[in-house]
Amino acid sequence: MKIATYNVNGIRSRLPRLLEWLDETKPDVACLQELKCTDDIFPVGEIAGAGYGAVWHGQKGFNGVAILARGCNPEETARGLPGDPDDAHSRYLEAVVDGVTIASIYLPIGNPQPGPKFDYKIAWMERLRHHAADLYAGERPVVLAGDYNVIPQDEDTFSVRAMAGDALTQPESRAAFRTLLAAGWTDAIRARHPAGRFYTFWDYQAGAWARDAGFRIDHLLLSPAAADRLVDAGVDKATRGKEKASDHAPTWIVLR
DNA sequence: ATGGCCTGTGGGACAGGA
């Protein structure tokens, strides 16, 4: 079972690339972020045409998450992250596919920091910690996949200095991510590849792609029952190099 | 060494991304 996460940066602009990637790599499940569209204009027809059922949680202009499943319809189990009824951002969607609970996460960036946007990021991560604990207690296979907007370690960025003031590398951001790992969640890429560059994002600016000036911010965290089934993990780096690409590359795992 | 972009909204810049 191949499960991927892909921040598409606008699903309508990205649709040809998305359909091409689905056809080439055939993930069983694809968690998408940054749809940047409302629910009524989500391209459900084109995605069904590619052989995928879908659930989605859109928003005008920004954010937006979806879960696609090949040959079946994901069974939605949560829409929105619990813990703040006033939070109107579409950043969390959860569904069960083939017995595996899968979340599509678009975590707040938090820039500029310090400030209210950073406070929102940290509060959101605290809510995620609580909800993740509930899922963990169920002792079922769970995959928390998405754009976490956290660079976990110095080796996950091309330049520690360039990112020093950024919300993605702040000690509070890293601590909140590390808290999930300490609670028993497995960072799938690092479980399979303890060392080395596994960047998932390269900025459109400053020739970042050409210089390989990227960082690793798209993650798949696994509950123990899912981690026991992990056989492979990787990044579809070539997807980032195509015309009209998203600034993120798809990141994936294979569970047996 | 520095700076370089893209998407959506809406019909011109600007917000937001990271």
Side-chain angles (χ1 to χ4, degrees):
Chain A
M1 185 181 193
K2 184 173 189 176
I3 302 169
T5 179
Y6 185 15
N7 180 323
V8 294
N9 187 17
I11 193 168
R12 287 176 297 163
S13 288
R14 208 65 57 217
L15 195 56
R17 276 282 92 86
L18 173 64
L19 296 175
E20 176 185 66
W21 170 74
L22 289 171
D23 184 57
E24 288 176 357
T25 69
K26 294 182 172 52
D28 296 292
V29 178
C31 299
L32 308 181
Q33 300 87 33
E34 282 210 272
L35 305 179
K36 295 186 173 180
C37 74
T38 49
D39 284 342
D40 55 313
I41 56 172
F42 182 84
V44 61
E46 290 88 342
I47 285 169
Y52 284 82
V55 291
W56 60 95
H57 186 201
Q59 183 178 334
K60 187 182 179 72
F62 311 104
N63 306 323
V65 286
I67 300 173
L68 279 47
R70 194 154 65 98
C72 68
N73 289 312
E75 179 191 332
E76 185 175 315
T77 51
R79 169 171 298 237
L81 185 62
D84 183 358
D86 295 330
D87 185 358
H89 291 199
S90 298
R91 297 182 176 276
Y92 186 92
L93 189 62
E94 182 189 293
V96 174
V97 179
D98 199 15
V100 181
T101 297
I102 298 163
S104 181
I105 290 171
Y106 179 49
L107 214 144
I109 299 166
N111 284 322
Q113 72 80 31
K117 292 190 174 183
F118 189 69
D119 295 342
Y120 172 62
K121 178 194 188 100
I122 298 303
W124 205 95
M125 294 188 81
E126 178 64 9
R127 286 162 58 198
L128 179 61
R129 181 178 74 81
H130 277 283
H131 186 60
D134 289 343
L135 292 171
Y136 194 96
E139 299 185 355
R140 292 162 46 88
V142 181
V143 179
L144 305 178
D147 175 2
Y148 279 71
N149 276 317
V150 174
I151 297 170
Q153 304 276 349
D154 286 352
E155 55 265 38
D156 295 315
T157 174
F158 72 103
S159 168
V160 172
R161 192 163 66 171
M163 301 304 292
D166 197 286
L168 278 58
T169 61
Q170 292 313 295
E172 297 93 329
S173 308
R174 287 180 165 179
F177 186 80
R178 202 164 52 241
T179 295
L180 290 167
L181 304 184
W185 295 91
T186 293
D187 177 348
I189 287 284
R190 283 305 178 212
R192 286 287 304 163
H193 311 285
R197 287 182 186 174
F198 284 82
Y199 298 156
T200 67
F201 171 92
W202 295 260
D203 203 298
Y204 289 125
Q205 301 187 69
W209 170 249
R211 295 188 292 129
D212 196 23
F215 30 88
R216 189 172 76 93
I217 52 176
D218 298 272
H219 309 299
L220 298 104
L221 298 191
L222 313 182
S223 72
D228 286 346
R229 293 168 53 181
L230 179 66
V231 294
D232 203 1
V235 178
D236 290 334
K237 186 174 176 180
T239 302
R240 175 62 181 86
K242 300 202 174 192
E243 289 295 317
K244 292 279 289 177
S246 170
D247 40 9
H248 293 252
T251 307
W252 52 267
I253 58 170
V254 175
L255 304 181
R256 68 169 161 266

